[in-house]
Amino acid sequence: MDRPEVRANVVLLVFARPDTTARLVEAVRAARPARVLVVADGPRPGQPEEAARCEAVRAIVERVPWECEVLTNYAEENLGLDRRVVSGLDWAFELADRAIVLEDDCLPHPSFFPFCEEVLARYGDDPRVMSISGSNFQFGAGREGTSYYFSRYPQVWGWATWARAWKRYDAKLSGWPEFRRGRLASLLDGDPRALQYWTHALQRAHEGRHAWDYGWLFAHWLDDALSVVPARNLVTNVGFREDATNTRPEHGMFLADVPAEPIELPLRHPPTVEPDLAADAFTDELMFGGNVDRLFRRIRVRRAERGAA
Protein backbone atom coordinates (compact mmCIF):
# COMPACT_ATOMS: atom_id res chain seq x y z
CA MET A 1 0.00 0.00 0.00
CA ASP A 2 1.38 3.42 -0.92
CA ARG A 3 2.02 5.76 1.96
CA PRO A 4 -1.05 8.00 2.42
CA GLU A 5 -0.72 11.75 2.42
CA VAL A 6 -1.74 12.95 5.89
CA ARG A 7 -3.19 16.39 5.39
CA ALA A 8 -4.64 16.73 8.88
CA ASN A 9 -2.46 18.16 11.61
CA VAL A 10 -1.33 15.60 14.20
CA VAL A 11 -1.56 16.78 17.80
CA LEU A 12 0.66 15.04 20.36
CA LEU A 13 -0.34 15.42 24.02
CA VAL A 14 2.77 14.68 26.07
CA PHE A 15 4.06 15.05 29.61
CA ALA A 16 6.83 13.13 31.36
CA ARG A 17 7.22 9.66 29.84
CA PRO A 18 10.15 9.64 27.41
CA ASP A 19 9.86 5.93 26.60
CA THR A 20 6.21 5.96 25.50
CA THR A 21 6.71 9.30 23.76
CA ALA A 22 9.57 7.86 21.70
CA ARG A 23 7.38 4.89 20.71
CA LEU A 24 4.56 7.26 19.75
CA VAL A 25 6.84 9.41 17.59
CA GLU A 26 8.09 6.28 15.83
CA ALA A 27 4.49 5.20 15.18
CA VAL A 28 3.58 8.60 13.75
CA ARG A 29 6.67 8.49 11.58
CA ALA A 30 4.94 5.95 9.31
CA ALA A 31 2.34 8.57 8.40
CA ARG A 32 4.84 11.44 7.97
CA PRO A 33 2.35 14.26 8.60
CA ALA A 34 3.38 17.64 7.27
CA ARG A 35 2.67 19.41 10.56
CA VAL A 36 2.83 18.24 14.17
CA LEU A 37 1.41 20.29 17.03
CA VAL A 38 2.90 19.39 20.41
CA VAL A 39 1.06 20.14 23.65
CA ALA A 40 3.10 19.52 26.82
CA ASP A 41 2.31 19.99 30.48
CA GLY A 42 4.92 21.25 32.92
CA PRO A 43 6.41 19.28 35.84
CA ARG A 44 4.69 19.20 39.18
CA PRO A 45 6.31 21.31 41.91
CA GLY A 46 9.02 19.73 43.99
CA GLN A 47 9.73 16.85 41.60
CA PRO A 48 13.14 17.46 39.97
CA GLU A 49 13.19 13.98 38.40
CA GLU A 50 9.87 14.74 36.72
CA ALA A 51 11.24 18.04 35.44
CA ALA A 52 14.11 16.16 33.81
CA ARG A 53 11.69 13.71 32.21
CA CYS A 54 9.60 16.59 30.87
CA GLU A 55 12.70 18.06 29.25
CA ALA A 56 13.60 14.69 27.75
CA VAL A 57 10.09 14.36 26.28
CA ARG A 58 10.27 17.79 24.71
CA ALA A 59 13.64 17.00 23.17
CA ILE A 60 12.17 13.84 21.60
CA VAL A 61 9.21 15.57 19.97
CA GLU A 62 11.33 18.46 18.73
CA ARG A 63 13.55 16.01 16.82
CA VAL A 64 10.92 14.07 14.88
CA PRO A 65 12.75 11.89 12.34
CA TRP A 66 11.05 13.16 9.19
CA GLU A 67 10.76 16.52 7.50
CA CYS A 68 7.80 18.44 8.88
CA GLU A 69 6.79 21.59 10.70
CA VAL A 70 6.71 21.21 14.49
CA LEU A 71 4.84 23.80 16.55
CA THR A 72 4.90 23.63 20.34
CA ASN A 73 2.68 24.77 23.17
CA TYR A 74 4.50 24.16 26.44
CA ALA A 75 3.12 24.89 29.90
CA GLU A 76 5.75 26.43 32.15
CA GLU A 77 4.02 25.05 35.25
CA ASN A 78 1.89 22.00 35.81
CA LEU A 79 -1.71 22.59 34.77
CA GLY A 80 -2.97 19.07 35.35
CA LEU A 81 -4.44 16.74 32.78
CA ASP A 82 -7.81 18.42 32.28
CA ARG A 83 -6.63 22.03 31.99
CA ARG A 84 -3.67 21.08 29.82
CA VAL A 85 -5.65 18.97 27.37
CA VAL A 86 -8.41 21.55 26.96
CA SER A 87 -6.12 24.57 26.68
CA GLY A 88 -3.83 22.66 24.33
CA LEU A 89 -6.65 21.64 22.03
CA ASP A 90 -8.04 25.18 22.08
CA TRP A 91 -4.65 26.31 20.78
CA ALA A 92 -4.43 23.50 18.22
CA PHE A 93 -7.83 24.24 16.71
CA GLU A 94 -7.00 27.89 16.36
CA LEU A 95 -4.33 26.69 13.91
CA ALA A 96 -6.06 23.74 12.24
CA ASP A 97 -9.53 23.04 10.90
CA ARG A 98 -9.11 19.31 11.57
CA ALA A 99 -6.66 17.23 13.54
CA ILE A 100 -5.70 13.75 14.67
CA VAL A 101 -5.01 13.65 18.42
CA LEU A 102 -2.74 11.19 20.22
CA GLU A 103 -1.66 11.08 23.85
CA ASP A 104 1.82 9.86 24.70
CA ASP A 105 0.65 6.38 25.72
CA CYS A 106 -1.51 5.66 22.66
CA LEU A 107 0.20 3.72 19.86
CA PRO A 108 -1.68 3.76 16.53
CA HIS A 109 -1.61 1.13 13.82
CA PRO A 110 -0.37 2.63 10.51
CA SER A 111 -3.86 2.28 9.03
CA PHE A 112 -5.27 4.54 11.77
CA PHE A 113 -4.06 7.61 9.87
CA PRO A 114 -5.66 6.94 6.46
CA PHE A 115 -8.79 5.81 8.32
CA CYS A 116 -9.00 9.20 10.06
CA GLU A 117 -8.14 11.07 6.86
CA GLU A 118 -10.93 9.45 4.86
CA VAL A 119 -13.55 9.91 7.56
CA LEU A 120 -12.46 13.50 8.26
CA ALA A 121 -12.95 14.28 4.59
CA ARG A 122 -16.30 12.48 4.31
CA TYR A 123 -18.01 14.09 7.31
CA GLY A 124 -16.21 17.42 7.49
CA ASP A 125 -19.40 19.43 6.97
CA ASP A 126 -21.85 16.99 8.57
CA PRO A 127 -23.01 18.21 12.01
CA ARG A 128 -24.34 14.73 12.81
CA VAL A 129 -20.74 13.55 13.25
CA MET A 130 -18.46 15.20 15.84
CA SER A 131 -15.50 12.87 16.20
CA ILE A 132 -13.63 9.78 15.04
CA SER A 133 -12.40 7.18 17.50
CA GLY A 134 -9.40 4.92 17.08
CA SER A 135 -10.46 2.39 19.71
CA ASN A 136 -12.81 -0.54 19.30
CA PHE A 137 -13.67 -2.50 22.46
CA GLN A 138 -16.27 -4.85 21.01
CA PHE A 139 -14.01 -7.89 21.51
CA GLY A 140 -14.44 -9.38 18.09
CA ALA A 141 -18.01 -8.41 17.25
CA GLY A 142 -17.61 -7.11 13.72
CA ARG A 143 -19.71 -4.92 11.49
CA GLU A 144 -21.64 -6.52 8.69
CA GLY A 145 -20.13 -5.22 5.48
CA THR A 146 -18.91 -1.84 6.78
CA SER A 147 -15.60 -0.50 8.09
CA TYR A 148 -17.05 1.41 11.04
CA TYR A 149 -20.19 2.18 12.97
CA PHE A 150 -21.61 5.22 14.73
CA SER A 151 -21.67 5.53 18.50
CA ARG A 152 -22.97 7.87 21.18
CA TYR A 153 -19.71 7.28 23.06
CA PRO A 154 -16.62 9.11 21.76
CA GLN A 155 -13.35 7.37 22.68
CA VAL A 156 -10.19 9.43 23.12
CA TRP A 157 -7.32 6.94 23.02
CA GLY A 158 -6.33 8.13 19.58
CA TRP A 159 -9.05 10.17 17.91
CA ALA A 160 -9.75 12.93 15.42
CA THR A 161 -12.14 15.83 15.02
CA TRP A 162 -12.76 19.19 13.40
CA ALA A 163 -12.43 22.73 14.73
CA ARG A 164 -16.17 23.20 14.12
CA ALA A 165 -16.84 20.31 16.55
CA TRP A 166 -14.28 21.29 19.18
CA LYS A 167 -15.93 24.72 19.37
CA ARG A 168 -18.90 22.93 20.91
CA TYR A 169 -16.81 21.79 23.88
CA ASP A 170 -17.85 23.42 27.15
CA ALA A 171 -15.81 22.44 30.19
CA LYS A 172 -18.57 23.72 32.49
CA LEU A 173 -21.31 21.64 30.84
CA SER A 174 -23.51 24.70 31.00
CA GLY A 175 -26.39 22.93 29.28
CA TRP A 176 -26.43 20.01 31.73
CA PRO A 177 -29.24 21.08 34.12
CA GLU A 178 -31.73 21.59 31.31
CA PHE A 179 -30.55 18.46 29.46
CA ARG A 180 -30.93 16.40 32.64
CA ARG A 181 -34.52 17.55 33.08
CA GLY A 182 -35.59 17.22 29.48
CA ARG A 183 -33.56 14.82 27.34
CA LEU A 184 -31.37 12.46 29.37
CA ALA A 185 -34.03 9.82 30.07
CA SER A 186 -35.06 9.70 26.42
CA LEU A 187 -31.47 9.38 25.22
CA LEU A 188 -30.89 6.43 27.55
CA ASP A 189 -34.26 4.83 26.80
CA GLY A 190 -35.28 5.14 30.43
CA ASP A 191 -32.69 2.54 31.56
CA PRO A 192 -32.58 3.07 35.35
CA ARG A 193 -29.00 1.84 35.74
CA ALA A 194 -27.72 4.03 32.91
CA LEU A 195 -29.72 6.98 34.23
CA GLN A 196 -28.20 6.56 37.67
CA TYR A 197 -24.66 6.32 36.33
CA TRP A 198 -24.83 9.19 33.86
CA THR A 199 -26.73 11.51 36.18
CA HIS A 200 -23.97 11.05 38.75
CA ALA A 201 -21.09 11.25 36.25
CA LEU A 202 -22.29 14.30 34.33
CA GLN A 203 -23.31 16.14 37.50
CA ARG A 204 -19.76 15.67 38.79
CA ALA A 205 -18.40 16.91 35.46
CA HIS A 206 -20.71 19.93 35.65
CA GLU A 207 -19.22 20.66 39.08
CA GLY A 208 -15.67 20.35 37.76
CA ARG A 209 -14.98 17.02 39.48
CA HIS A 210 -14.63 14.72 36.49
CA ALA A 211 -12.13 14.34 33.65
CA TRP A 212 -12.29 16.55 30.55
CA ASP A 213 -13.57 13.77 28.30
CA TYR A 214 -16.93 13.67 30.07
CA GLY A 215 -17.49 17.18 28.79
CA TRP A 216 -16.54 15.99 25.30
CA LEU A 217 -19.08 13.18 25.52
CA PHE A 218 -21.72 15.62 26.76
CA ALA A 219 -21.04 17.93 23.82
CA HIS A 220 -21.94 15.04 21.52
CA TRP A 221 -25.13 14.30 23.43
CA LEU A 222 -26.17 17.93 23.60
CA ASP A 223 -25.91 18.25 19.80
CA ASP A 224 -27.39 14.80 19.03
CA ALA A 225 -24.06 14.04 17.36
CA LEU A 226 -22.17 10.78 16.96
CA SER A 227 -18.64 9.41 16.90
CA VAL A 228 -17.25 7.09 14.23
CA VAL A 229 -15.85 3.83 15.67
CA PRO A 230 -13.66 1.57 13.48
CA ALA A 231 -14.64 -2.07 12.98
CA ARG A 232 -11.21 -3.06 14.30
CA ASN A 233 -9.20 -1.64 17.17
CA LEU A 234 -6.63 0.75 15.69
CA VAL A 235 -4.89 2.08 18.82
CA THR A 236 -3.19 0.33 21.73
CA ASN A 237 -3.03 2.06 25.11
CA VAL A 238 0.28 1.18 26.78
CA GLY A 239 -0.09 3.66 29.62
CA PHE A 240 -1.56 1.59 32.45
CA ARG A 241 1.55 1.91 34.62
CA GLU A 242 2.57 3.17 38.03
CA ASP A 243 3.90 6.43 36.52
CA ALA A 244 0.56 7.25 34.87
CA THR A 245 -1.46 10.23 36.05
CA ASN A 246 -4.82 8.94 34.82
CA THR A 247 -4.65 5.31 33.62
CA ARG A 248 -3.52 3.39 36.69
CA PRO A 249 -2.62 -0.33 36.47
CA GLU A 250 -5.60 -1.33 38.62
CA HIS A 251 -7.91 0.42 36.14
CA GLY A 252 -6.61 -1.44 33.11
CA MET A 253 -8.49 -4.72 33.41
CA PHE A 254 -9.15 -5.79 29.81
CA LEU A 255 -8.69 -2.35 28.19
CA ALA A 256 -4.92 -2.09 28.60
CA ASP A 257 -2.67 -3.18 25.72
CA VAL A 258 -5.53 -4.30 23.46
CA PRO A 259 -3.71 -5.12 20.20
CA ALA A 260 -4.11 -2.76 17.26
CA GLU A 261 -5.17 -4.36 13.99
CA PRO A 262 -5.16 -3.16 10.38
CA ILE A 263 -8.32 -1.89 8.76
CA GLU A 264 -8.97 -2.59 5.10
CA LEU A 265 -8.78 0.36 2.72
CA PRO A 266 -10.60 1.89 0.98
CA LEU A 267 -13.28 2.05 3.63
CA ARG A 268 -16.76 0.63 3.27
CA HIS A 269 -19.09 3.29 4.61
CA PRO A 270 -22.38 2.62 6.44
CA PRO A 271 -25.46 3.58 4.41
CA THR A 272 -26.97 5.70 7.21
CA VAL A 273 -25.74 7.88 10.06
CA GLU A 274 -27.33 6.38 13.17
CA PRO A 275 -25.97 4.80 16.35
CA ASP A 276 -25.42 1.08 16.66
CA LEU A 277 -27.52 0.55 19.79
CA ALA A 278 -26.30 -2.99 20.45
CA ALA A 279 -22.64 -1.95 20.29
CA ASP A 280 -23.35 1.05 22.50
CA ALA A 281 -25.10 -1.13 25.09
CA PHE A 282 -21.97 -3.29 25.28
CA THR A 283 -19.75 -0.20 25.56
CA ASP A 284 -21.91 1.13 28.37
CA GLU A 285 -21.52 -2.10 30.31
CA LEU A 286 -17.82 -2.37 29.56
CA MET A 287 -16.71 1.14 30.43
CA PHE A 288 -19.42 2.86 32.41
CA GLY A 289 -20.40 0.80 35.42
CA GLY A 290 -22.44 -2.10 34.09
CA ASN A 291 -22.80 -5.45 35.79
CA VAL A 292 -19.26 -6.85 35.76
CA ASP A 293 -20.17 -10.53 36.04
CA ARG A 294 -22.61 -10.27 33.14
CA LEU A 295 -20.02 -8.29 31.19
CA PHE A 296 -17.33 -10.96 31.54
CA ARG A 297 -19.77 -13.62 30.40
CA ARG A 298 -20.54 -11.58 27.29
CA ILE A 299 -16.83 -11.06 26.55
CA ARG A 300 -16.19 -14.82 26.81
CA VAL A 301 -19.07 -15.51 24.44
CA ARG A 302 -17.80 -12.96 21.92
CA ARG A 303 -14.27 -14.31 22.04
CA ALA A 304 -15.56 -17.87 21.59
CA GLU A 305 -17.67 -16.79 18.63
CA ARG A 306 -14.69 -15.05 17.07
CA GLY A 307 -12.52 -18.12 17.56
CA ALA A 308 -15.10 -20.32 15.89
CA ALA A 309 -15.51 -18.01 12.89
Side-chain angles (χ1 to χ4, degrees):
M1 181 179 68
D2 293 334
R3 180 182 62 82
E5 179 186 355
V6 177
R7 295 178 295 277
N9 287 243
V10 173
V11 179
L12 304 182
L13 304 175
V14 300
F15 178 41
R17 290 187 281 187
D19 61 330
T20 61
T21 301
R23 292 177 66 186
L24 171 61
V25 168
E26 187 61 28
V28 176
R29 179 182 186 176
R32 300 180 66 87
R35 186 159 73 163
V36 174
L37 307 178
V38 182
V39 175
D41 204 358
R44 288 168 289 190
Q47 299 197 35
E49 292 184 0
E50 186 170 275
R53 292 198 303 273
C54 286
E55 287 301 318
V57 163
R58 296 178 185 191
I60 290 168
V61 295
E62 288 172 5
R63 299 194 305 267
V64 294
W66 69 91
E67 185 177 348
C68 72
E69 180 182 16
V70 178
L71 302 180
T72 60
N73 186 278
Y74 294 162
E76 295 303 318
E77 59 185 13
N78 187 265
L79 301 178
L81 176 67
D82 293 344
R83 288 175 59 201
R84 179 69 289 213
V85 169
V86 174
S87 62
L89 292 178
D90 285 345
W91 166 76
F93 285 110
E94 290 176 357
L95 301 173
D97 68 343
R98 62 189 63 189
I100 298 168
V101 183
L102 288 156
E103 293 186 59
D104 62 5
D105 56 3
C106 296
L107 299 182
H109 187 274
S111 61
F112 167 72
F113 296 98
F115 171 76
C116 289
E117 284 278 280
E118 186 170 339
V119 180
L120 283 168
R122 184 176 181 87
Y123 298 105
D125 298 320
D126 191 334
R128 297 174 297 175
V129 182
M130 279 187 69
S131 66
I132 303 156
S133 301
S135 301
N136 178 299
F137 300 127
Q138 295 294 307
F139 292 90
R143 310 268 61 79
E144 290 296 330
T146 63
S147 301
Y148 58 88
Y149 69 92
F150 295 97
S151 173
R152 292 170 175 163
Y153 298 108
Q155 305 290 340
V156 294
W157 292 350
W159 56 291
T161 192
W162 304 265
R164 54 94 174 159
W166 183 251
K167 287 178 182 177
R168 304 298 297 161
Y169 182 82
D170 174 11
K172 297 180 180 179
L173 283 73
S174 303
W176 164 242
E178 181 178 355
F179 186 90
R180 175 181 179 177
R181 291 190 297 268
R183 294 171 54 196
L184 182 65
S186 175
L187 178 75
L188 299 174
D189 296 322
D191 181 342
R193 180 192 57 77
L195 275 169
Q196 181 181 36
Y197 177 86
W198 286 108
T199 298
H200 174 74
L202 294 177
Q203 180 63 34
R204 284 176 58 87
H206 178 59
E207 295 168 358
R209 296 188 293 142
H210 240 327
W212 71 271
D213 51 339
Y214 280 86
W216 184 226
L217 175 143
F218 181 68
H220 286 65
W221 287 10
L222 191 63
D223 278 7
D224 287 321
L226 300 171
S227 184
V228 168
V229 178
R232 295 288 179 264
N233 184 54
L234 299 178
V235 180
T236 299
N237 190 308
V238 297
F240 287 86
R241 313 187 322 191
E242 292 295 338
D243 61 353
T245 57
N246 193 42
T247 49
R248 304 292 296 165
E250 61 270 23
H251 301 155
M253 297 179 71
F254 35 77
L255 299 181
D257 300 304
V258 176
E261 303 176 272
I263 196 164
E264 185 178 347
L265 301 169
L267 301 179
R268 294 165 292 159
H269 302 281
T272 60
V273 178
E274 55 186 355
D276 184 323
L277 299 181
D280 275 359
F282 185 77
T283 298
D284 184 65
E285 289 195 42
L286 174 68
M287 303 187 72
F288 304 117
N291 183 290
V292 174
D293 291 335
R294 184 170 67 249
L295 171 65
F296 279 128
R297 286 198 297 272
R298 291 183 66 185
I299 289 175
R300 286 195 292 270
V301 168
R302 288 191 176 204
R303 284 177 169 165
E305 290 173 346
R306 187 180 187 186

